[in-house]
Amino acid sequence: MRIRRLLPGLAALCLGAVLARSLASSVGVNHLLVAIALGAIVANVADVPDDLEPGIATHKLWLSAGIVLMGASISVGTVLEVGGRVFLVVIAVASVTLVVVELLARNVFGLAERLGSLLAAGASICGVSAVVAVAGTVRAREAQVAYAAATVLLFDAITIAVYPIVGDLLDLSSTVFGVWAGVSMFSTGPVVAVGFAHSEVAGQWATMTKLSRNALIGVVVLAYASYYARTGDGDTPSVRTLWAEFPKFVVGFLALAALSSLGLFSAAQQTSIEHAYNWLFLLAFVGLGTEIQLGDLRQTGLVPAFVVLLSLLVASTLSLLLLLVLF
Amino acid sequence: MSTDRSSQTGVVSSWWSTLDRDWKSVVIGAMIVGLVSVLDLQIPW
C-alpha cells in the first residue's frame, strides 16, 4: 500500500522537526531556519536514502496544509485595511520583475527566448512552480526547465540567508519585512520561513503577500500561452487555464480566515491551530532543506544567474522603497 | 464485515489519490480544525 512507502520519509521529517525544535531553543536561532539547515546538511553530507524519498517528497503538502491553517490566525480587519495597497505593490513588483528579466535575457544577454520566459516567470511569480507551469504551455526543453529551476533554487538558498540579516540591519517593522519578503523572494517555502523567523506578524504578512502573488500565475501562464501560440510554438490558451493554475489551497486559507473572523474558534482552539501549523511548517522545512543540493546549484549557468540577480536587486530595492513610503 | 471495511478503505484511498495536492492540503487542514474544534484536541508546542 502507498502509505507504507511514505512512512520512513514521514518518520524522518517528524524526527527532523522535533530535533529542529529542540536545537533552536538551545542555539537561539529560529526553529524554521534550523529545520531548513538540518535538511540541507543531511542531503549534502549523506545522500537521502531511496526509502526516505517518497515520504520526504510530501513536504510541499505540509507547507500548503500549514498555510490553510494559518487562515485561522489572520485578522480580516487588518487585511481589508492594508490589503489593497499590498496587492497593488504585488502587481507592480511582479510586472516590473517579469519585464526586467525578459528584457535582460533577450536584449542584453542573448539567452534563448524560452529560457528567458521561464526565468521571468520563476522570478516574478512563484519560483519553481511557475517555471514548471509556464514550461508546460510554452513547450520549453527539459534542459531549459532544469536550468531555470536550478537558478531559482540557487536564489532561494541565498535569500533565506540574506533577507533576515538585511531585515535586522535596517530594523524593518514586521509588516514591511513580511510584505517585502512576500513580494520579492521567489518560492513560497523560503518566504514563509524568513517571515516567521522575523516575527509571527511578519510571517503572516509574508505568507498572505506571497499567496496573492502566486494567484497571478494563471494570468502569467495565459499570457505566455497566448504569446507562444501566436508564434505557432505553444499550446492554445483557454480561460480554464486561470483556474487550472490557481493555487487551490488559498480557498481553504480564505474559508478558515472567514470562519475565524466570525468568532467560531475559542482562544485555546486558535492556539492549538497555531501550534498545528507551526509543526506542519517544521515538517515542510526539513523536507525543503533536503532540496538544497549544493552540487545541483553549481550547475546553474552564470549568465541566467546574473540575469536573475539583477532583477532580484531591482525588485527588492524598488519594493522596499515603495513599502517604506506606504507603511 | 472485514470485506466492507476494506472496500470502504479502497474507496477513500482511490478518492484521495484523485485529489491534487492543493485539495489534499485543504482536507488535511479541515481535519485538523475538526479535531481541534469538535473534539477539543489540544496540540502542544
Side-chain angles (χ1 to χ4, degrees):
Chain A
M1 194 167 164
R2 194 169 176 267
I3 189 87
R4 288 211 187 108
R5 281 197 319 124
L6 302 179
L7 286 178
L10 287 176
L13 289 183
C14 291
L15 185 67
V18 172
L19 200 59
R21 170 93 177 81
S22 333
L23 274 175
S25 47
S26 45
V27 295
V29 177
N30 180 271
H31 53 278
L32 298 179
L33 299 182
V34 174
I36 293 174
L38 271 180
I41 290 168
V42 169
N44 287 281
V45 172
D47 273 348
V48 175
D50 291 347
D51 286 353
L52 302 187
E53 277 179 4
I56 288 178
T58 59
H59 66 87
K60 286 179 182 160
L61 175 66
W62 308 123
L63 176 67
S64 317
I67 292 173
V68 169
L69 288 180
M70 213 190 78
S73 306
I74 297 302
S75 156
V76 174
T78 315
V79 174
L80 291 177
E81 195 184 318
V82 294
R85 274 180 286 166
V86 170
F87 194 58
L88 286 178
V89 174
V90 166
I91 291 178
V93 176
S95 312
V96 167
T97 309
L98 194 119
V99 171
V100 167
V101 177
E102 282 285 2
L103 287 177
L104 286 174
R106 289 169 191 231
N107 301 338
V108 181
F109 294 99
L111 291 178
E113 200 176 33
R114 281 178 174 69
L115 179 58
S117 299
L118 297 183
L119 292 172
S124 63
I125 308 293
C126 51
V128 176
S129 319
V131 170
V132 174
V134 169
T137 50
V138 306
R139 294 184 188 162
R141 295 205 315 271
E142 269 186 29
Q144 291 174 325
V145 178
Y147 226 46
T151 310
V152 167
L153 289 173
L154 172 71
F155 283 96
D156 280 344
I158 293 171
T159 49
I160 284 172
V162 171
Y163 267 60
I165 297 170
V166 177
D168 286 346
L169 282 177
L170 299 179
D171 198 22
L172 299 178
S173 72
S174 292
T175 309
V176 169
F177 181 79
V179 176
W180 180 52
V183 85
S184 57
M185 286 175 64
F186 294 164
S187 302
T188 307
V191 167
V192 176
V194 302
F196 279 100
H198 188 275
S199 69
E200 186 77 17
V201 174
Q204 292 175 353
W205 273 112
T207 311
M208 282 188 293
T209 308
K210 190 65 180 63
L211 290 185
S212 52
R213 201 169 134 210
N214 291 357
L216 299 176
I217 183 60
V219 180
V220 171
V221 167
L222 199 61
Y224 273 121
S226 307
Y227 173 78
Y228 283 96
R230 195 172 53 81
T231 60
D233 286 342
D235 294 336
T236 311
S238 76
V239 177
R240 225 179 271 172
T241 310
L242 287 173
W243 176 243
E245 299 299 339
F246 184 80
K248 278 86 176 176
F249 63 88
V250 174
V251 175
F253 170 87
L254 293 174
L256 214 47
L259 290 176
S260 175
S261 62
L262 290 173
L264 243 61
F265 306 119
S266 67
Q269 288 170 340
Q270 270 193 329
T271 306
S272 274
I273 293 173
E274 274 177 31
H275 290 168
Y277 75 66
N278 273 307
W279 280 114
L280 289 174
F281 284 159
L282 270 178
L283 293 180
F285 291 137
V286 173
L288 175 76
T290 63
E291 286 197 351
I292 302 176
Q293 300 275 358
L294 296 178
D296 291 349
L297 298 183
R298 274 197 289 270
Q299 289 170 9
T300 311
L302 271 182
V303 176
F306 193 59
V307 169
V308 174
L309 173 66
L310 285 179
S311 80
L312 178 65
L313 289 175
V314 170
S316 64
T317 311
L318 276 182
S319 56
L320 186 55
L321 291 175
L322 200 57
L323 291 169
L324 289 171
V325 171
L326 287 174
F327 294 97
Chain B
M1 195 73 172
S2 66
T3 317
D4 281 354
R5 196 172 298 154
S6 70
S7 79
Q8 282 169 357
T9 312
V11 169
V12 172
S13 163
S14 81
W15 167 75
W16 180 254
S17 61
T18 58
L19 285 180
D20 80 9
R21 194 179 65 216
D22 283 356
W23 288 121
K24 281 179 182 166
S25 63
V26 174
V27 172
I28 291 170
M31 279 168 56
I32 293 174
V33 170
L35 289 171
V36 168
S37 56
V38 179
L39 301 179
D40 229 7
L41 177 77
Q42 294 193 4
I43 298 171
W45 176 239

